[in-house]
Every structure is written in C-alpha cells, then in structure tokens.
Amino acid sequence: MKQQAVSVVLIRRFVFIVLLGLQSLSAMASVNACPEAAQEYWKAFRISVLRGNLTAIINATRFPFVISGTLDESKKKHIDRKEFGRFFPALLKADPGLSPTPTTMKSLVKTTTRLPPLFCNSYGNQFRVGAWVFELTSEGWRFVEGFVDEGFVDD
C-alpha cells in the first residue's frame, strides 16, 4: 500500500513537470508568433502575387522600394512606384536562400500559406519571407525590400 502511494506521488510530480514544460513551450511560441495582422496582410499579398495583380502588389508596397544584392557590400537600388513593375519579375525569380538547391520566390510564395513564427521578428514589426522583407509602417504592413542575385543591382 505504501509503495502504491509513493508511485502515485511520483506520477503526479511527473505529470506536473510535463505540464509545466508544455506551458513554457506554449508561452514561448505565442511570444514569437507572427501578429494576426501580419498573417492577414501576407494572405492578401500572396493572393495578389499568385494572381499577378501588380496594382494590388504596388498598393501593398512602400516607396521608394529597396532592391539589395545578397552580399553585405552590395549596392542598394531605390525604385519608385513607376519603376516597380519593371523590376518585379526579377524579385519573383530571386532565390529565397532557404534550401541547398536554388529555387524561386514565386515557388516559395505558392507554398507559404501562413507565416511560420521564425519568419517574424520578436518585436512584431517585421517579417521576412525568403528574399522579401515586410515592415509594419504608419500605413500598415508594407513590402519594403527585396534581395536579388549579385550583379542585378549594379545594372
């Protein structure tokens, strides 16, 4: 009987420790989760990209838009609203840099239906999907920067 009581106490302690650990993991996940407004913005932006709706993409972008090379020492190109349509195909072809084999941002957009927590910063004011950067501005969420292969920015 005494051995059975000890077993019950040990099981209760074990369950308590497991639940405490799960609660901690849950709290960490919610702290690093992407804000719901970012999820809603991404959903609409993604649909615009997949439909090729350049007007909606431009309306969801901050100007001047920044195009950067992938290296730290790369030049940055600032483009205005009128130039954006000319450069957007290169942004779709950019390698997201998330896998060992090259792919495209277009394919990443197709498969990224929701923002994983790792895509968002801890302040909740920026997220990155592959080679594209989005920020929370005074006008709401905006597409602010895209990274492209070296040489493109120098052109």
Side-chain angles (χ1 to χ4, degrees):
M1 191 69 152
K2 189 174 183 179
Q3 187 178 20
Q4 194 176 20
V6 170
S7 295
V8 169
V9 169
L10 289 175
I11 290 172
R12 285 183 181 165
R13 285 184 182 170
F14 175 75
V15 169
F16 174 75
I17 290 169
V18 168
L19 290 175
L20 189 61
L22 289 174
Q23 183 180 6
S24 297
L25 286 174
S26 174
M28 285 173 41
S30 65
V31 168
N32 292 331
C34 296
E36 194 54 39
Q39 296 286 1
E40 291 170 16
Y41 170 87
W42 173 249
K43 182 180 177 183
F45 186 85
R46 178 180 174 269
I47 289 169
S48 298
V49 170
L50 295 176
R51 290 182 179 163
N53 186 342
L54 192 57
T55 302
I57 295 166
I58 288 171
N59 289 337
T61 301
R62 180 182 70 193
F63 294 99
F65 182 80
V66 179
I67 297 180
S68 301
T70 54
L71 301 176
D72 289 341
E73 64 270 9
S74 300
K75 293 180 184 176
K76 293 182 184 286
K77 183 182 286 266
H78 295 81
I79 60 171
D80 63 24
R81 182 178 286 269
K82 291 178 186 174
E83 297 175 294
F84 188 81
R86 187 166 54 99
F87 290 98
F88 191 66
L91 294 169
L92 285 172
K93 291 177 187 172
D95 181 6
L98 299 176
S99 66
T101 55
T103 183
T104 65
M105 280 303 302
K106 186 173 184 174
S107 65
L108 181 61
V109 169
K110 283 181 185 176
T111 59
T112 307
T113 57
R114 241 180 113 65
L115 300 170
L118 291 175
F119 282 20
C120 297
N121 73 0
S122 59
Y123 302 107
N125 63 355
Q126 186 183 73
F127 68 89
R128 185 171 175 160
V129 178
W132 294 355
V133 180
F134 302 83
E135 288 182 359
L136 183 59
T137 69
S138 59
E139 292 87 33
W141 285 97
R142 294 291 183 262
F143 183 27
V144 298
E145 184 173 11
F147 291 85
V148 295
D149 295 331
E150 293 307 312
F152 180 84
V153 179
D154 299 329
D155 296 341

